[in-house]
Amino acid sequence: MKKLTLITAVALIAIGLGGCNDLLDQQPQSQIATSNAYQTADDASRAVAAAYHRLMGNNWCCDPPGGGGYMHWVIANVATDDAVKGGESGGDQVYAQNVAYYRVTPGNRTVQEAWENNYIGIRNANLVLDNVPDIEMDGALKEQYLAEAKFLRAYYYFLLVQTFGDVPLILTTDVEAYEKERAPASQVLDQVLTDLQEAESVLRTKSQLEDDGEVGRASKGAAQAYIGKVYMWMGDYANAMDWFGRVIDSGEYSLDPDYLNIFTKAGENGPGTIFAVQHNYNPPNTLNNPMGVVQGSRAMYGWGFNAPTQDFVDEFETGDPRMKQSAYENGDTLRGGKVADVGNSPTGYLNYKQYVTEAEAPGGFFNSANDEIMMRLGKVLLWYAEAANETGNTQEALDKLEMVRERARQGNPAVLPEVTTTDQAELRQAIWHEQRVEYGQEYERRFDLLRTGRMGETMRNYAQSYNTQKGANFTDGKHEVLPIPQSEIDLSNGLIEQNPGY
């Protein structure tokens, strides 16, 4: 299945198998589908495409026509010291402002849509796992589809645990999320690891997918990388180092020497890309990426959301080329030759990684076909370095850190001196710094801060340093997770309990 074919299949099946935002509507739709939609290999392919489809929810924002989905830019960027909400005014998309200021309530649409998007994705993956085994089709292809469904179910569940903590664990379409109590996060993560490891043993490598013309599907390397990421979240650095090491040693990935190219249409699915949400502009089966508009300048073509902070910009070392390739300000010359005008950005910066040129949006800027990279080698190398440092493998940590910094210099040996300290605490700080600047604005900051226990202190320090309420309300023991949507608690008749403090 080529990338275009996959997207077409998604578009054809999305409405029938999980395109609705209301979980109440999912059961009758799936019952109809189960009775007649799982007969052939083509049916199996479409069912897998539906499971992929909820990945598109990574990129949504705001009121219709853009609404619905897991809003990474709000949860993982704006709710941290890396970005502020932006937009037309402080009251524009107030739900996002409430997340950023830790005034979030169980009725906030961000939490509602994060819950719904991932559970719809899980249900679509479960539809594959429940029904495809009974289809008469090529055995190897069937195993591939089942492995992809396990990978996707794990992906969605990992996001849920990171966001909400304990969540209902649903492994079959016979049960709805609101019919079960929340399972401990540790139990859910065990299932995530099981799904990922079973998928990893079957999935093809990146080079095999490229040879088969099926770029964009979950790969063996993607499963390995997410296994490592789950272990990092759990604080199991030895296992994290092991699994990240498999990705690095596979020979399937390398660092694109052109850092900015990673985030362009020309650079998508490049040498360092491990897993990306695939977008396409091919009317009428278009699955666009609106993030260029969501995060673009109101003075140029966008809405001005997710404005990088001065604190984020100041994190970069003097002369680091990645600063101007991560955030742009008035007067910068952008890709395609335009001179930047950031409009009413409250910080004076906008996210360059989401910038879209006219050539990359032939159907208009809202119809950008640029992919959204969720896992890449730069992240893996720095997580490996962190895990190596925590397990006493100092030289391994220094080696991987230097690989990232060498690429970051982009041919200028006068910047970004090699880190040589062997003191564990000093090296830890150096790695954390490098993580923030290497993949800043890429939806990881909140989760890095949470898993390392730095979130509360970081946000309160930010509020004090910049004399703002952003971060001042962060309460340890409460705000590490978001509230469970009140609608889900009501639907369960109280079986699902609220997170403490909400």
Side-chain angles (χ1 to χ4, degrees), residues 457-501:
E457 181 181 6
T458 296
M459 294 313 300
R460 290 187 292 270
N461 286 344
Y462 177 87
Q464 184 174 10
S465 297
Y466 293 91
N467 191 26
T468 175
Q469 284 299 302
K470 176 181 167 65
N473 296 325
F474 190 98
T475 301
D476 296 335
K478 175 183 177 179
H479 288 128
E480 289 85 356
V481 292
L482 296 182
I484 305 299
Q486 188 62 45
S487 59
E488 302 304 318
I489 294 173
D490 295 343
L491 188 61
S492 75
N493 293 317
L495 185 63
I496 297 175
E497 298 181 354
Q498 186 54 269
N499 276 323

Side-chain angles (χ1 to χ4, degrees), residues 15 17-18 31 45 57 71 76 108 236 238 244-245 254 310 365 415 423 434 450 474:
I15 294 176
L17 290 178
Q31 287 174 342
S45 174
M71 288 182 271
N108 187 290
D236 186 340
F244 288 141
S254 61
Q310 189 66 50
F365 286 108
V415 300
D423 178 86
E434 200 66 31
L450 284 173
F474 190 98

